[in-house]
Amino acid sequence: MKKILAIESSCDETACAILDEKLNILSSVVSTQIDVHARFGGVIPEIASRMHVEQISIIVDNALKQADVSMDDIDAIAYTVGPGLIGSLHIGGVAAKTLAFFYDKPLIGVHHLKGHIFINELLADFEYPMLALVVSGGHTELVYIENEDSFKIIGTTLDDAVGESYDKVARIMGMGYPGGPKIDKAAKEGKAHYQLPTPKVDGLNFSFSGLKNACLQLAKKLERNGEELNNNDLSYAFQEVALNVLLNKTLKAMEEYPVKTVITAGGVAANSRLRELMSEKIKGVKLVQPPLKYCTDNATMIACAAFHDLKKGKFVSLDTASLSDMSIEE
Ligand code: KG4
Ligand code: ZN
């Protein structure tokens, strides 16, 4: 059975996984830098790159040991070619190319968001056409997927990504980084008390910076008036507005683009309230929502996407450049 060794290093996780072609996970090792970046309230690119350099060989070695395989058993090396932090991407790219060159293995360059999408194949068979709601720290995208080779962005954010706005609003409340899981938890204790404006954007696009600013203005106003901000209530209010926008745009997209499967992907897909709203309201299609461990960055997702390329013999050369900005449509 064919095996892929995959590397992910686009942001602040250094990860390596080994999967076989039936998508059995032989190993999946993730080293996260969250604790280090948390001190600064967000990811510091230079620190991320340096930590990838320190971790990458150890992580690859651990993945091989845990899978109990040697490089001779590996049929291809896959890595995240973009988008992401350029320094971070570069480290994973150099590691993957070195392995491919030294052991004479084909090299597969994977788009990070395709990884977030195709990891859902661990949970269900995809029935095309599909709609993916990709929501993470760097992305808010509605992607229409006609077949496994055809991706079309039909909606995107005009300013902040939804995960980014979670992180920034959490910062306003002094909750620390990453804000998503903290707001998710606090909102469960919150009630409908604060009023926040729903972003108004035509079509299938999104905007979250106005909502973030409304949270900031509210916090400042309360402070000026000597009143205390209730973090649970603001978490509740922010989340209800942000997530209903995601839900309503998804429903609108389903009207314009009839699909058989709807999937969620990316870090924010781990949100418990989003999962609840999607299960309640998305009807008449196969709905696939990944569990937490498949939502945040890992290398299993890169391997899942890479098997499609391996089957087609779609490889990249050793001089392929990493790309910080890269469209899923190409
Ligand atoms: O996909 P991911 O791990 O990295 C990127 O590619 O960006 O997503 C990270 C983002 C962060 O903004 C984090 O706050 C958010 O996902 N996140 C969540 C939750 N867990 C992680 N947002 C809302 N609710 C959560 N439970
Ligand atoms: Zn990601």
Side-chain angles (χ1 to χ4, degrees):
M1 213 179 317
K2 295 242 156 93
K3 295 182 187 65
I4 286 182
L5 181 149
I7 291 172
E8 152 65 31
S9 71
S10 66
C11 189
D12 58 345
E13 266 91 25
T14 321
C16 181
I18 298 170
L19 272 73
D20 69 25
E21 63 189 283
K22 293 248 153 38
L23 301 188
N24 294 307
I25 303 169
L26 307 185
S27 66
S28 182
V29 183
V30 182
S31 163
T32 179
Q33 310 171 358
I34 278 187
D35 290 347
V36 177
H37 297 293
R39 283 189 245 143
F40 304 96
V43 177
I44 308 291
E46 176 63 20
I47 295 177
S49 309
R50 283 166 189 251
M51 292 190 75
H52 284 305
V53 173
E54 283 170 19
Q55 288 297 313
I56 191 75
S57 311
I58 302 166
I59 297 302
V60 170
D61 210 33
N62 283 352
L64 285 163
K65 283 197 185 113
Q66 285 184 24
D68 198 17
V69 297
S70 75
M71 283 304 296
D72 292 340
D73 304 312
I74 302 294
D75 296 278
I77 311 291
Y79 74 106
T80 306
V81 66
L85 300 173
I86 192 65
S88 295
L89 287 166
H90 192 62
I91 311 303
V94 168
K97 287 171 194 173
T98 307
L99 290 171
F101 177 70
F102 192 81
Y103 293 101
D104 197 19
K105 309 283 180 189
L107 185 65
I108 300 171
V110 175
H111 189 288
H112 183 75
L113 295 189
K114 287 190 187 169
H116 275 303
I117 289 169
F118 282 113
I119 196 169
N120 284 293
E121 286 190 305
L122 291 175
L123 306 169
D125 290 332
F126 286 178
E127 283 176 50
Y128 296 96
M130 299 203 328
L131 180 68
L133 174 68
V134 184
V135 277
S136 72
H139 295 271
T140 309
E141 247 117 40
L142 277 164
V143 187
Y144 177 69
I145 311 169
E146 199 173 349
N147 57 59
E148 63 174 58
D149 294 313
S150 165
F151 297 78
K152 186 174 170 209
I153 296 173
I154 56 172
T156 188
T157 180
L158 304 178
D159 39 59
D160 294 351
V162 63
E164 187 184 353
S165 68
Y166 262 93
D167 295 335
K168 287 179 177 166
V169 171
R171 201 170 178 173
I172 294 169
M173 295 188 279
M175 283 173 159
Y177 173 85
K182 297 190 166 86
I183 289 183
D184 190 355
K185 195 161 164 238
K188 290 193 203 323
E189 311 297 322
K191 55 189 180 316
H193 175 56
Y194 299 125
Q195 293 285 329
L196 293 171
T198 297
K200 297 260 181 299
V201 183
D202 288 343
L204 297 173
N205 287 334
F206 304 88
S207 165
F208 292 102
S209 75
L211 178 60
K212 169 196 68 189
N213 276 330
C215 293
L216 182 62
Q217 295 315 321
L218 176 72
K220 281 187 178 164
K221 189 174 123 201
L222 292 175
E223 199 183 342
R224 273 199 308 275
N225 297 347
E227 291 172 53
E228 201 168 321
L229 174 70
N230 185 311
N231 280 358
N232 293 346
D233 290 350
L234 183 58
S235 296
Y236 177 92
F238 162 76
Q239 185 163 275
E240 283 306 301
V241 173
L243 300 183
N244 274 291
V245 167
L246 296 180
L247 172 71
N248 290 331
K249 294 276 174 169
T250 305
L251 289 168
K252 194 170 160 62
M254 287 169 69
E255 278 170 24
E256 289 176 33
Y257 295 81
V259 290
K260 293 193 175 141
T261 311
V262 172
I263 65 168
T264 57
V268 183
N271 185 277
S272 58
R273 180 67 179 139
L274 179 64
R275 304 174 73 87
E276 194 175 84
L277 282 172
M278 297 289 285
S279 322
E280 273 170 21
K281 299 281 163 53
I282 305 283
K283 300 287 178 204
V285 293
K286 184 190 262 192
L287 175 66
V288 189
Q289 301 200 76
L292 177 65
K293 62 178 176 181
Y294 296 155
C295 289
T296 47
D297 291 348
N298 60 78
T300 297
M301 67 190 217
I302 303 307
C304 289
F307 272 110
H308 290 277
D309 287 356
L310 181 63
K311 276 176 204 143
K312 292 177 204 130
K314 202 174 145 203
F315 304 121
V316 299
S317 66
L318 289 172
D319 59 5
T320 303
S322 297
L323 296 168
S324 60
D325 194 13
M326 181 185 183
S327 171
I328 198 172
E329 291 182 347
E330 57 203 40

